[in-house]
Amino acid sequence: GENVEQHPSTLSVQEGDSAVIKCTYSDSASNYFPWYKQELGKGPQLIIDIRSNVGEKKDQRIAVTLNKTAKHFSLHITETQPEDSAVYFCAASGPRVDGLTFGKGTHLIIQP
Amino acid sequence: DAGITQSPRHKVTETGTPVTLRCHQTENHRYMYWYRQDPGHGLRLIHYSYGVKDTDKGEVSDGYSVSRSKTEDFLLTLESATSSQTSVYFCAISESRETFDTQYFGPGTRLTVL
C-alpha cells in the first residue's frame, strides 16, 4: 500500500519568514495530494490540494508543489503569522476509492 | 466542519464494553470514512462507506465494525473495547465518485478505554 513520509516533525520559524514542509510518497499510482491544518482540539481542515496533472498551485500565502518523477510534494507558507501555528498533515490517494494515506504531521511554531 | 457532527465528543469506558460512535452529516455526501488519530501515527483509515449499506475495510479495521443504514449516518462500533483503542476518532465525508478524495473532517471523538 501507499506510504507517506513527512518532514520535519517540528518546525519553528520567526513571524514573517517562510515555512516549508516536505512529503514523499511511495505509490506511483497516487494522483491526489491534499494538505490539512489541525488546530488543538479540532478536526483537520483542508487548506490546499493538488492533482498529478499540475506542478504547482497557489492560494494567497500558501502554495503546494509536486514532483511526480521524484514522488515528493511540498507545502510553502510565506509571510507566516501567529495564526499559522498548528499541526500540518500531508496525504496522498490514488485512483482507488479507499481513503487517504497521511503523513505523521509537522508541528509548525511561529515565534513572535 | 462542513456540516458534520460526531457524538459523543468525549467518552470514557472500560475494557470489554461495547461502544458506538456516531457520525452525522447534513451535506448528502455519498462517501463517509472513519479514521483514528494517535501520536506518532497521524491519521489511519479504519473503515469507509461508498453508499447506504456499502462499506469496506481500511488499514486498521481489526476490532471495529461499521454500519450505514441512511445516507446521513455512519456508525463505528467497538464490539469489546480494548486499551489499544484509546484514541481520537474522526469522521470524514466526500461528495462523489469523481471527488471522493476531497475529504472534509468532523470535530472528532476522544475515546478513553480504561
Side-chain angles (χ1 to χ4, degrees), chain A:
Chain A
E2 175 66 278
N3 182 51
V4 177
E5 299 283 342
Q6 183 172 346
H7 300 280
S9 57
T10 303
L11 178 60
S12 181
V13 301
Q14 291 294 124
E15 182 178 350
D17 288 350
S18 296
V20 181
I21 302 171
K22 298 181 179 182
C23 288
T24 60
Y25 61 98
S26 61
D27 188 348
S28 57
S30 290
N31 58 10
Y32 175 71
F33 308 93
W35 286 89
Y36 287 85
K37 175 184 180 182
Q38 187 177 26
E39 297 174 333
L40 196 61
K42 297 186 177 181
Q45 176 190 7
L46 179 65
I47 57 172
I48 195 166
D49 57 11
I50 193 168
R51 298 194 180 272
S52 59
N53 57 347
V54 176
E56 183 176 3
K57 183 177 179 180
K58 289 184 180 179
D59 182 4
Q60 299 183 328
R61 297 186 297 108
I62 294 174
V64 57
T65 58
L66 171 64
N67 183 326
K68 283 222 70 175
T69 302
K71 290 192 283 188
H72 67 71
F73 57 111
S74 301
L75 177 70
H76 305 253
I77 305 175
T78 59
E79 300 173 5
T80 53
Q81 301 170 2
E83 54 265 36
D84 295 329
S85 292
V87 179
Y88 291 80
F89 291 94
C90 63
S93 74
R96 286 184 54 196
V97 181
D98 59 0
L100 297 167
T101 300
F102 283 83
K104 294 182 179 180
T106 295
H107 185 194
L108 177 61
I109 301 166
I110 308 300
Q111 303 279 5

Side-chain angles (χ1 to χ4, degrees), chain B residues 10-88:
Chain B
H10 301 271
K11 186 171 182 65
V12 179
T13 191
E14 294 187 351
T15 298
T17 60
V19 176
T20 296
L21 308 183
R22 180 186 184 227
C23 176
H24 178 78
Q25 58 138 334
T26 58
E27 307 293 327
N28 199 36
H29 281 9
R30 178 180 173 187
Y31 294 89
M32 299 185 75
Y33 309 82
W34 278 107
Y35 292 86
R36 62 178 287 175
Q37 184 174 37
D38 304 289
H41 288 278
L43 290 101
R44 293 178 292 173
L45 182 67
I46 305 171
H47 281 280
Y48 65 98
S49 169
Y50 46 97
V52 173
K53 298 191 190 305
D54 292 323
T55 65
D56 207 345
K57 296 178 180 180
E59 176 189 358
V60 291
S61 60
D62 287 349
Y64 301 94
S65 62
V66 290
S67 65
R68 190 168 179 203
S69 59
K70 299 184 291 184
T71 298
E72 58 266 35
D73 289 326
F74 192 30
L75 304 180
L76 177 70
T77 297
L78 292 65
E79 301 291 346
S80 177
T82 67
S83 59
S84 64
Q85 293 176 312
T86 292
S87 187
V88 181

